[in-house]
Amino acid sequence: MEKISFFSADFRDGRIRIGNKTYPAGTFAAHLLNQYYKNDTAARISAYVMNNWAVQKSLTKGYLNARLLKKTGEDILEILNALPKLKPFNQFDIESERQLISETFTEENGDYIVEYFRRKSFILAMDDGAIVNDLSPEYDEDLFNGAEELLSLIWQKLYFYDDISSQMREAFDGLIEFCNRLDEAERFDEPHLLPIALDIFGNEKLDITSEFVAMRKTAKSKTMVTARRMFFDNYYSFVLTDFFEGLHYGHYPRRCPICKRYFLMTSARRQVYCNGTAPYTLKGKPITCRKYAARMKEKELSEGNPINPIYKSRYSAIRVEQKRSTITAEFAAMARKVAKEYWQKAKYDDNYANGQYKADMKRENLYMETDRRLKQK
Ligand SMILES: [Zn+2]
């Protein structure tokens, strides 16, 4: 079977370029995780494989139902309605593919192939049929060539659209498992994440061919750099390459516990929440998941742990002492600065908030540190 040259993408420095757009490697894996159930993308793509299978089965046996062929074409057109919701298919020329499908999967073409099958089986049924092929009155060179070409195109499309749903499913399941197992990693970097990824996806060989090409490092730069151009035979190879290339650069998908969407982490920091818009508002205004989480944590801390009251009372004590001239204005300003640092640290660091924070905020300790800093000046 002739391989489908599906599409190509350029890789360089942890970025992937398709057409004239570039993305951090790993973007498409994270996108699949979010898009799979959204708008029923996967369901709409996988719901139409039934007729496809029936046509494949009948073609293998050497017959065809022309109406079924047309029906399968209609199913593929349905898939083409959903496919552009999945990146990178949104960048493809869906309209010309749509046209090719409507022109190929017709009842007329079905009848044409049936006629070819009829003639061919007649010839094959004759004694020495294969040898006297072109002597038979049933043989028609144009008809045979045309039908064989048409069949090859039909097979190609049947395979592609049949596979795309199973490949989506396989990649999706694996990526979900990866996200669920993230916490097994001691650190979120390539050496710690790669074993999990390989355990899930194995050392499977992907259908890829590649070559080196020259490209501009950025859209504005004049110098050229080397990039790897990869050609993918199918969606699975593409999305897995994107995922592994991302891992190599420390990018990995993870799920935001607040909005439940997947996002691509591009640093080894243990960032848990995404930068997207949270499903909640704060005082009626939209807020990011990260900010929302920080606010919740603040609230939790101020309820369970008195970091705010400690800070507030220390702050007003400094003001009182300044008023009474027990301390200078310069000293008071530095003391407030130091106290604010401790308070901010306590907000983001639970261990500190529950331990050293209280001691640091005591008058004598705070003033000792203030004194030390003023002397450093
Ligand atoms: Zn989020």
Side-chain angles (χ1 to χ4, degrees), residues 256 259 274 289:
C256 172
C259 67
C274 80
C289 290

Side-chain angles (χ1 to χ4, degrees), residues 163-181:
D163 259 20
I164 192 128
S165 66
S166 58
Q167 290 179 5
M168 264 176 77
R169 171 98 235 167
E170 203 178 334
F172 176 78
D173 286 347
L175 290 168
I176 287 279
E177 191 185 342
F178 176 83
C179 291
N180 290 341
R181 288 177 57 183

Side-chain angles (χ1 to χ4, degrees), residues 305 307 310 346 349-362:
N305 196 315
I307 65 162
I310 289 174
D349 184 342
D350 285 346
N351 286 335
Y352 177 71
N354 295 323
Q356 190 60 29
Y357 173 66
K358 231 173 178 174
D360 281 348
M361 280 297 209
K362 280 202 171 124

Side-chain angles (χ1 to χ4, degrees), residues 129-302:
I131 300 160
V132 296
N133 202 358
D134 46 359
L135 299 176
S136 162
E138 296 288 345
Y139 184 73
D140 177 330
E141 194 179 346
D142 286 347
L143 188 144
F144 272 47
N145 286 343
E148 275 159 19
E149 216 171 276
L150 187 59
L151 269 171
S152 148
L153 178 63
I154 288 172
W155 269 116
Q156 197 185 54
K157 296 299 173 192
L158 289 176
Y159 268 135
F160 178 76
Y161 290 100
D162 175 13
D163 259 20
I164 192 128
S165 66
S166 58
Q167 290 179 5
M168 264 176 77
R169 171 98 235 167
E170 203 178 334
F172 176 78
D173 286 347
L175 290 168
I176 287 279
E177 191 185 342
F178 176 83
C179 291
N180 290 341
R181 288 177 57 183
L182 264 183
D183 287 330
E184 289 174 21
E186 220 172 285
R187 292 173 56 127
F188 293 153
D189 54 14
E190 189 187 11
H192 292 88
L193 294 177
L194 191 59
I196 301 176
L198 289 179
D199 187 40
I200 295 167
F201 294 107
N203 283 308
E204 222 171 304
K205 261 200 88 186
L206 302 172
D207 287 329
I208 297 162
T209 48
S210 74
E211 64 185 34
F212 287 97
V213 293
M215 66 177 264
R216 281 174 216 290
K217 199 165 183 184
T218 65
K220 283 176 185 164
S221 65
K222 284 182 182 152
T223 47
M224 302 297 272
V225 292
T226 314
R228 230 170 352 138
R229 175 163 296 168
M230 303 219 225
F231 298 87
F232 303 94
D233 289 336
N234 56 46
Y235 175 72
Y236 185 80
S237 304
F238 168 75
V239 82
L240 264 282
T241 301
D242 173 60
F243 170 69
F244 277 101
E245 182 78 5
L247 267 193
H248 178 63
Y249 286 92
H251 306 171
Y252 59 93
R254 72 176 305 164
R255 191 177 204 187
C256 172
I258 293 191
C259 67
K260 313 288 183 204
R261 285 187 294 252
Y262 293 86
F263 65 104
L264 186 69
M265 273 295 303
T266 50
S267 77
R269 281 180 300 119
R270 282 194 170 251
Q271 182 188 319
V272 175
Y273 307 99
C274 80
N275 291 320
T277 313
Y280 316 102
T281 55
L282 188 78
K283 291 171 188 160
K285 283 180 185 162
I287 186 169
T288 67
C289 290
R290 287 191 75 183
K291 276 196 182 144
Y292 179 81
R295 286 298 169 97
M296 285 301 107
K297 197 168 181 190
E298 225 171 85
K299 206 173 152 229
E300 227 170 78
L301 279 172
S302 63

